[in-house]
């Protein structure tokens, strides 16, 4: 992505622009957000099935948590 996105506001398309995030992963992030509420830290993303430390490291330069 050309800008940093807010992981709590990002659309499916915006999430899919992140490194290592495909359609299914973007949907899981949105589902998690809808079921559990907003992400408060980057580490909360580790609770989404399929996101591990390595994937989180790839994404972290392009996301913020508000």
């Amino acid at each position: 992505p050309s800008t940093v996105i807010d992981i709590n506001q990002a659309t499916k398309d915006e999430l899919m622009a992140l490194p290592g995030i495909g359609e299914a992963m973007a949907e899981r992030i949105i589902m998690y957000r809808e079921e559990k509420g907003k992400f408060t830290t980057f580490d909360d993303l580790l609770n989404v099935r399929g996101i591990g430390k390595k994937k989180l490291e790839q994404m972290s330069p392009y996301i913020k948590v508000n």
Side-chain angles (χ1 to χ4, degrees):
S2 56
T3 60
V4 175
I5 63 167
D6 180 353
I7 201 74
N8 288 312
Q9 303 295 322
T11 65
K12 181 176 164 183
D13 287 337
E14 289 171 327
L15 291 169
M16 288 172 55
L18 294 169
I21 303 298
E23 185 174 357
M25 182 65 67
E27 289 173 355
R28 283 200 296 269
I29 291 169
I30 292 170
M31 280 180 43
Y32 183 91
R33 190 172 69 194
E34 290 172 352
E35 292 173 3
K36 308 283 188 189
K38 290 186 172 189
F39 296 98
T40 56
T41 69
F42 285 168
D43 285 346
D44 287 347
L45 283 161
L46 295 172
N47 296 320
V48 177
R49 185 173 49 90
I51 297 181
K53 291 229 180 249
K54 189 169 184 88
K55 190 169 298 233
L56 183 58
E57 285 175 17
Q58 289 176 319
M59 294 169 44
S60 63
Y62 307 104
I63 61 173
K64 63 182 175 183
V65 177
N66 280 343

